[in-house]
C-alpha cells in the first residue's frame, strides 16, 4: 500500500514536470517566431521587413522598399513614354497593375529588393524585348506643318500655237497646320490619323499661257500628239552634232567620226547625252510640232531621211555619200513629213 501511494506521488510530480517543460518549450517557440521576422534584402544585404510588390495581370514584376516607391516607379515609367510634343489626351497601362505588400515566409530564401531607379530601368529594358513588362499607351494631338501646293491656272493666248504652254508667273507654296491623333505604345507609333487642318498661308497660283493659234500646214502629217521624254537645251545637241561636220556618210553606220547614216547620226548624238533612243523609227517618237514652231534638236523626217533641226531654217544631218555630215537648208532633202520633239527645256 505504501508502495502504491509512493508511485502515485511520483507519477503526479513527473506529469507536472512534463507539463511545465512543454509550456516553457511552447513559450520559447513563440518567442523565436516573434524575434525572427521574415524579410527581403537588397543586393548589398540590407534587410527590408515590409516590402511592396508590383504585379501586372498577376505576374510579379519587382519588389521595392515601400508603397510610395512602387507608385513612383509606375509614374516614372509612364512619364518616360509621354510624348514631349503635342497635347496628351490620355495615357494608360494595358495591364491590370497591382501594388501590395509582399508576403514573406520564415525559412525561405529572402526575395530581392531593388531601388526605385533600378525598378524603372528593369521595366524599360524589358519593354525593348519581345516580352515587355508593361504596355503604356498614349493618345495625343500633334500639329504638323505641311506645304500647300499651288494650283495651275491657264490663260489662253493666240501668241502660242494650239496646245503649247508657256509660264506666265511662278506660283508659291502655301502652308497648313494638320492636327493628327497619334497613338503610341511604349514610345512606338501605332497609328496616326489627321483629324483637322487649317490653312495658315494661302498658296499663289501658277499661271500658264495656253496657245490657241492654229498651226500652218507646213508638214505633210499634221500629227501634234505625243510627249517629250527628256529635259535639256536642244542647242547643245546641235552644237555637238556640228563638231562632226565634214566626216563621212556610211550606210548603216553609227560612228560620228568614221561614218554614220542619217538615223545613225541622230542616234549617236542623242546617245552621247544619255538618251537611250532606238536605232530607227524616230517619226513615231516624241511630240509632233510644225515647222513654224521647230526648235534646235527637233528631228525632221523626210521620205526616207532624218535630220536634226539646227534653228534659223537649217538642219544638220548625215546627208549622203557625197556630202557626208553637213549643214543644209531645212527643205533641201525634200518634203517634210513630220517634225518630232524629243527634249524640251
Amino acid at each position: 500500500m505504501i508502495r502504491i501511494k509512493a508511485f502515485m506521488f511520483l507519477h503526479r510530480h513527473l506529469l507536472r514536470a512534463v507539463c511545465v517543460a512543454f509550456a516553457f518549450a511552447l513559450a520559447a517557440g513563440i518567442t523565436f517566431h516573434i524575434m525572427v521576422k521574415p524579410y527581403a534584402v537588397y543586393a548589398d544585404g540590407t534587410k527590408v521587413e515590409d516590402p511592396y510588390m508590383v504585379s501586372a495581370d498577376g505576374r510579379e514584376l519587382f519588389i521595392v522598399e515601400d508603397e510610395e516607391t512602387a507608385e513612383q516607379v509606375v509614374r516614372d515609367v509612364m512619364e518616360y513614354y509621354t510624348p514631349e510634343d503635342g497635347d496628351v489626351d490620355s495615357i494608360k497601362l494595358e495591364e491590370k497593375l497591382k501594388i501590395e505588400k509582399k508576403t514573406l515566409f520564415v525559412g525561405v530564401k529572402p526575395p530581392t529588393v531593388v531601388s526605385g531607379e533600378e525598378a524603372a530601368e528593369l521595366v524599360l529594358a524589358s519593354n525593348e524585348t519581345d516580352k515587355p513588362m508593361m504596355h503604356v499607351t498614349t493618345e495625343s494631338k500633334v500639329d504638323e506643318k505641311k506645304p500647300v501646293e499651288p494650283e495651275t491656272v491657264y490663260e489662253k493666248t493666240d501668241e502660242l500655237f494650239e496646245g503649247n504652254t508657256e509660264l506666265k508667273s511662278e506660283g508659291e507654296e502655301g502652308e497648313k497646320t494638320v492636327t493628327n491623333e497619334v497613338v503610341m505604345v511604349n514610345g512606338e507609333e501605332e497609328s496616326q490619323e489627321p483629324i483637322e487642318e487649317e490653312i495658315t498661308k494661302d498658296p499663289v497660283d501658277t499661271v500658264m499661257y495656253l496657245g490657241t493659234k492654229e498651226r500652218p500646214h507646213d508638214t505633210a502629217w499634221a500629227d501634234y500628239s505625243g510627249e517629250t521624254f527628256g529635259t535639256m537645251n536642244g542647242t547643245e545637241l546641235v552644237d555637238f552634232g556640228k563638231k562632226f561636220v565634214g566626216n563621212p556618210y556610211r550606210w548603216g553606220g553609227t560612228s560620228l567620226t568614221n561614218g554614220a547614216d542619217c538615223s545613225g547620226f541622230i542616234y549617236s548624238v542623242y546617245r552621247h547625252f544619255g538618251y537611250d533612243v532606238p536605232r530607227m523609227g524616230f517619226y513615231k517618237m516624241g511630240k509632233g510640232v510644225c515647222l513654224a514652231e521647230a526648235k534646235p534638236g527637233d528631228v525632221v523626217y523626210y521620205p526616207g531621211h532624218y535630220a536634226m533641226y539646227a534653228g534659223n531654217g537649217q538642219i544638220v544631218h548625215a546627208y549622203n555619200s557625197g556630202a557626208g555630215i553637213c549643214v543644209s537648208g531645212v527643205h533641201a532633202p525634200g518634203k517634210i513629213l513630220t517634225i518630232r520633239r524629243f527634249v524640251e527645256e
Side-chain angles (χ1 to χ4, degrees), residues 218 233-239 241-242 265-266 269-270 289-302 306-317 326-331 333 336 338-343:
D218 53 13
N233 186 335
T235 301
E236 294 182 47
L237 293 160
V238 172
D239 290 344
K242 283 182 175 180
F265 171 77
I266 293 170
V269 170
Y270 270 91
V289 296
C290 64
L291 178 58
E293 61 183 316
K295 294 180 180 180
D298 292 348
V299 176
V300 186
Y301 180 52
Y302 307 87
Y306 288 109
M308 181 178 292
Y309 189 70
N312 298 320
Q314 292 186 317
I315 54 174
V316 58
H317 58 145
C326 63
V327 175
S328 307
V330 71
H331 294 292
I336 298 174
T338 186
I339 302 173
R340 311 302 295 183
R341 180 164 296 158
F342 295 175
V343 297

Side-chain angles (χ1 to χ4, degrees), residues 68-321:
E68 183 181 350
T69 302
E71 292 172 347
Q72 185 61 50
V73 170
V74 175
R75 285 195 296 268
D76 288 346
V77 170
M78 296 181 77
E79 185 178 344
Y80 179 84
Y81 291 121
T82 302
E84 294 182 2
D85 300 327
D87 298 326
V88 178
D89 293 331
S90 69
I91 179 167
K92 60 183 180 181
L93 284 169
E94 297 301 318
E95 292 80 10
K96 184 178 180 181
L97 212 65
K98 191 173 183 180
I99 299 174
E100 60 185 341
K101 280 189 177 183
K102 172 70 176 177
T103 301
L104 303 175
F105 300 95
V106 175
V108 177
K109 182 180 178 181
T112 302
V113 177
V114 294
S115 67
E117 184 177 344
E118 288 172 330
E121 290 292 339
L122 182 68
V123 173
L124 296 178
S126 78
N127 287 356
E128 297 293 326
T129 70
D130 58 355
K131 293 183 178 180
M133 287 185 177
M134 297 181 187
H135 292 83
V136 181
T137 301
T138 62
E139 294 182 3
S140 57
K141 292 185 177 68
V142 180
D143 289 339
E144 179 184 11
K145 300 290 185 182
K146 286 190 173 183
V148 180
E149 297 298 326
E151 299 278 343
T152 300
V153 297
Y154 294 90
E155 288 185 11
K156 294 182 179 180
T157 176
D158 59 7
E159 296 291 319
L160 300 174
F161 287 111
E162 186 177 3
N164 285 349
T165 59
E166 186 178 292
L167 180 67
K168 177 183 178 182
S169 61
E170 193 74 61
E172 186 179 333
E173 281 186 348
E175 190 176 72
K176 63 182 178 181
T177 300
V178 178
T179 302
N180 298 294
E181 185 72 58
V182 180
V183 178
M184 303 182 79
V185 177
N186 288 355
E188 297 293 328
E189 186 177 302
E190 287 286 300
S191 64
Q192 176 173 304
E193 182 181 356
I195 54 176
E196 61 181 26
E197 62 178 52
E198 178 186 2
I199 301 293
T200 53
K201 179 185 176 184
D202 290 325
V204 177
D205 291 338
T206 296
V207 182
M208 300 289 294
Y209 286 123
L210 177 63
T212 60
K213 184 167 65 172
E214 186 178 353
R215 287 181 174 84
H217 300 290
D218 53 13
T219 62
W221 301 348
D223 177 12
Y224 306 113
S225 63
E227 295 181 356
T228 58
F229 53 79
T231 303
M232 72 174 292
N233 186 335
T235 301
E236 294 182 47
L237 293 160
V238 172
D239 290 344
F240 179 73
K242 283 182 175 180
K243 291 180 179 180
F244 304 97
V245 168
N247 287 344
Y249 173 95
R250 183 167 66 87
W251 187 82
T254 58
S255 173
L256 298 174
T257 54
N258 298 323
D261 62 14
C262 62
S263 59
F265 171 77
I266 293 170
Y267 166 85
S268 296
V269 170
Y270 270 91
R271 294 273 292 194
H272 173 78
F273 288 94
Y275 292 101
D276 189 17
V277 296
R279 176 70 174 79
M280 301 180 70
F282 301 136
Y283 66 91
K284 297 183 290 186
M285 298 169 56
K287 179 178 72 173
V289 296
C290 64
L291 178 58
E293 61 183 316
K295 294 180 180 180
D298 292 348
V299 176
V300 186
Y301 180 52
Y302 307 87
H305 187 69
Y306 288 109
M308 181 178 292
Y309 189 70
N312 298 320
Q314 292 186 317
I315 54 174
V316 58
H317 58 145
Y319 201 173
N320 52 37
S321 57

